[in-house]
């Protein structure tokens, strides 16, 4: 069976995860299928794991520090996400900003569940477009349909829609 593509987006309150660094605020994931269905989603909101945070970074998520402090226990959220991923079968992690999104999901998975069901790698959406169109400056974000709101499920859906555009244009995505 072919691996499922899962587009992930993360919002955080700083640049890097870690107990003495910054915290993931929330994240969203959507399974991409070749029929264009994007209804299999996951949304998690995680309580801070550190007292450190950058107000400007947190503001991007649309939440205040007070709201963030009321979010769910990171271990429970990550265990639920891991169960959701495992229920999909083998999955490939894909995101807009792989370096940012991957580090948070990977760190949180290892810290709170002991392993990362995505394995050891992920893929960046922009690289797919740039390679397919042989253009290192290709502006792929114009192919999103869902507005980029910084709600991670919306953003993951928009990125998944762009991937489906690429697929319909002949890229072997599946």
């Amino acid at each position: 069976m072919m691996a499922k593509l899962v587009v992930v987006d993360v919002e955080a309150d700083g640049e890097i995860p870690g107990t003495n660094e910054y915290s993931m605020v929330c994240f969203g994931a959507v399974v991409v299928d070749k029929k264009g269905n994007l209804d299999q989603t996951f949304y998690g909101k995680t309580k801070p794991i550190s007292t450190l945070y950058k107000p400007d970074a947190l503001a991007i998520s649309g939440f205040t520090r007070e709201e963030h402090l009321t979010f769910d226990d990171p271990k429970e959220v990550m265990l639920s996400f891991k169960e959701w991923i495992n229920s999909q079968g083998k999955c490939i992690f894909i995101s807009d900003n792989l370096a940012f999104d991957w580090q948070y999901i990977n760190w949180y998975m290892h810290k709170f569940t002991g392993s990362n069901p995505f394995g050891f790698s992920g893929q960046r959406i922009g690289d797919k477009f740039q390679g397919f169109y042989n253009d290192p400056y290709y502006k792929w974000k114009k192919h999103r349909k869902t507005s980029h709101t910084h709600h991670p499920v919306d953003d993951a859906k928009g990125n998944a829609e762009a991937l489906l555009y690429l697929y319909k244009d002949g890229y072997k995505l599946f």
Side-chain angles (χ1 to χ4, degrees), residues 9-15 25-26 53-65 67 100 148-152 155:
D9 185 71
V10 170
E11 300 298 331
D13 65 11
E15 298 91 348
V25 176
C26 55
Y53 73 99
K54 292 189 172 182
D56 291 347
L58 179 60
I60 293 169
S61 71
F63 295 110
T64 65
R65 181 65 172 182
E67 291 170 316
F100 183 82
H148 194 79
T149 63
H150 289 291
H151 184 290
D155 295 353

Side-chain angles (χ1 to χ4, degrees), residues 105-160:
I105 296 297
N106 187 51
W107 191 90
Y108 270 68
M109 279 293 185
H110 282 281
K111 172 75 175 168
F112 295 109
T113 77
S115 65
N116 184 347
F118 288 110
F120 296 98
S121 62
Q123 299 175 8
R124 191 177 81 87
I125 297 166
D127 293 341
K128 293 178 177 302
F129 276 90
Q130 292 163 356
F132 186 70
Y133 294 113
N134 194 29
D135 178 356
Y137 305 103
Y138 189 86
K139 305 285 187 212
W140 65 271
K141 294 177 183 183
K142 64 186 173 190
H143 301 298
R144 294 171 172 157
K145 293 178 184 172
T146 301
S147 295
H148 194 79
T149 63
H150 289 291
H151 184 290
V153 174
D154 288 346
D155 295 353
K157 279 187 177 180
N159 293 337

